[in-house]
Amino acid sequence: MNVYLIAGEPSGDRLGAALMAGLKTLNPDIGFAGVGGPLMQAEGLDSLFPMEELSVMGLAEVLPKLRRLFKRRDEAANHIVLAKPDALVTIDSPDFCLRVAAKVNSMASDIATVHYVAPTVWAWRPERAAKMAKSIDHVLALFPFEPPYMEAAGMTCDFVGHPVVAEPVASAAEVAEFRRSYGLDDAPVILALPGSRVGEVTRLADRFGDALSEVIAQHPSARIVVPTVGPVAGKVHELVKRWPGVPLVLDPRDLGPEQYAVAKRAAFKAAHVALAASGTVSLELAAAETPMVIAYDMNWMSRRIIASKMLIDTVTLVNIVSGTHAVPEFLGDACKAPDIARALNTLMGDEAARAAQLAACADTMAQLGKGAEAPGLRAARSVYEVIKPAAP
């Protein structure tokens, strides 16, 4: 039995690795091929090309790289058809992955196709579900309210839980060791997470820095900690030099994967408050019970196009799942340092505001499957049923 997987960014790499581990639990002899990052490679994937080439976000940002992306799409599709896997599993990154699935479907329609992470048709561009159904057989959904959207478009769909609920949270001992190792003592920790792509880090860094300057002015004993990822670590080191104080950058290139993972978990748990770019990181912060402010901006053209198609009034996942506006967010034109700073200062000292947000975070974790079977194994069972319906 062989499964071909394609992931296009770090969050997809994590999903893919957990899915691969789950599939190996169900069938130790299963084989893998495809495109993925270090976590998927650690599970046995020999990546066809570097996953980082696909990590591009924003309409204007993609345009200069279209020719290379189309070349990679064709390369992947041809490789899949020659490999003849029992299933193709595309993971998130829909602009690339679904194009690969469509091309494969046109060349070899007998290959079962699964897409992991339902497109956010409940948020914008609902027509994507019907278009996707032309080349996708089955969908793995991270959110419990998503299956009806996929089924209405003609695909089968299982809610498998969100992987964040299965990720470890730092213990009190790990937090204490983290503080001791980095000389933080009892200082309030402000976590800063400006993104995992060069474009977003570059765009947000100065606004994050300006906002944090105002917060540090009111809380001079606080320390800023910046966990980052390998592809943007150099840029982060460069940009945070303009931030107040001496921010502590957690760099996986210096620490190594295992030590970095421990340090990052401890930083999330140790933080009194976090300022983060929009994305899955809000759920990681919710799992760590860390109050947060979300801020994000993108290219002017991308911003206008997306805003014109939005169907919801919040993009923060904690707000969406919990049905609240507990997490303050500053997006697009509203991504201004003074307003971000005010929201951070409120969370630094207002216990009622902190409690309200943490209640929404707890509700979000419960809805996403906390306490149930691990999402990676649930996803594996769902894929296995597509490949081999008679499997237990």
Side-chain angles (χ1 to χ4, degrees):
M1 187 175 290
N2 294 281
V3 175
Y4 201 103
L5 306 101
I6 300 178
E9 53 188 300
S11 59
D13 186 40
R14 290 194 295 273
L15 289 172
L19 172 59
M20 291 168 70
L23 286 168
K24 287 192 289 186
T25 298
L26 300 178
N27 181 353
D29 296 324
I30 196 164
F32 301 110
V35 179
L39 299 179
M40 291 170 68
Q41 291 172 39
E43 291 292 338
L45 182 76
D46 183 12
S47 190
L48 181 63
F49 53 79
M51 183 191 73
E52 290 76 16
E53 291 186 19
L54 307 180
S55 188
V56 185
M57 187 175 183
L59 301 175
E61 290 82 355
V62 168
L63 288 176
K65 300 183 179 180
L66 269 180
R67 180 176 295 182
R68 185 163 186 81
L69 288 171
F70 282 139
K71 180 181 177 181
R72 289 306 197 190
R73 176 205 62 184
D74 295 344
E75 183 180 357
N78 290 331
H79 195 233
I80 293 162
V81 173
L82 288 173
K84 297 181 181 179
D86 294 285
L88 163 64
V89 181
T90 53
I91 306 171
D92 210 0
S93 302
D95 289 334
F96 181 82
C97 284
L98 295 181
R99 284 182 169 85
V100 172
K103 192 167 183 66
V104 168
N105 188 62
S106 71
M107 300 165 69
S109 60
D110 58 326
I111 296 176
T113 51
V114 179
H115 189 66
Y116 196 174
V117 183
T120 54
V121 297
W122 38 268
W124 74 305
R125 290 173 58 200
E127 70 279 2
R128 287 178 292 167
K131 182 178 180 181
M132 175 176 160
K134 295 176 182 178
S135 55
I136 296 295
D137 302 313
H138 185 66
V139 181
L140 308 177
L142 303 188
F143 300 104
F145 52 81
E146 292 179 318
Y149 291 94
M150 303 297 102
E151 291 162 354
M155 296 168 283
T156 56
C157 182
D158 289 330
F159 165 60
V160 297
H162 198 287
V164 72
V165 302
E167 294 175 358
V169 176
S171 66
E174 288 174 323
V175 171
E177 175 60 21
F178 171 76
R179 284 184 169 277
R180 186 197 64 77
S181 296
Y182 289 100
L184 298 173
D185 301 319
D186 295 324
V189 171
I190 302 173
L191 208 61
L193 300 145
S196 59
R197 302 176 180 88
V198 171
E200 60 192 8
V201 169
T202 302
R203 187 171 290 112
L204 293 172
D206 284 348
R207 272 173 277 190
F208 273 39
D210 291 345
L212 291 168
S213 292
E214 296 188 35
V215 177
I216 294 297
Q218 292 197 32
H219 304 275
S221 65
R223 290 289 306 278
I224 299 169
V225 177
V226 191
T228 187
V229 294
V232 300
K235 178 60 70 173
V236 168
H237 278 287
E238 172 191 334
L239 293 172
V240 302
K241 290 177 181 178
R242 302 198 288 265
W243 290 12
V246 183
L248 168 61
V249 178
L250 301 179
D251 188 337
R253 301 174 306 175
D254 298 332
L255 299 175
E258 292 184 10
Q259 188 178 348
Y260 173 77
V262 172
K264 178 184 173 183
R265 287 198 302 268
F268 271 57
K269 190 66 178 175
H272 191 67
V273 69
L275 171 59
S278 177
T280 307
V281 70
S282 70
L283 297 181
E284 297 180 61
L285 292 166
E289 301 178 321
T290 299
M292 71 197 85
V293 172
I294 299 298
Y296 199 77
D297 199 5
M298 58 179 64
N299 175 276
W300 181 88
M301 182 183 298
S302 300
R303 186 200 308 166
R304 291 290 178 259
I305 292 172
I306 291 173
S308 70
K309 296 179 178 291
M310 288 291 292
L311 303 176
I312 54 177
D313 62 356
T314 178
V315 302
T316 301
L317 292 170
V318 171
N319 290 344
I320 293 167
V321 177
S322 66
T324 70
H325 286 80
V327 177
E329 58 183 19
F330 301 90
L331 312 173
D333 292 336
C335 186
K336 300 183 187 307
D339 298 329
I340 296 168
R342 276 192 290 273
L344 286 169
N345 278 322
T346 296
L347 285 176
M348 288 289 288
D350 188 330
E351 290 303 321
R354 292 174 62 84
Q357 189 178 127
L358 290 177
C361 290
D363 178 58
T364 297
M365 291 298 105
Q367 291 197 55
L368 295 184
K370 185 176 181 179
E373 185 176 60
L377 185 54
R378 293 172 70 180
R381 292 190 193 282
S382 185
V383 171
Y384 205 77
E385 288 176 7
V386 172
I387 299 172
K388 194 174 181 180

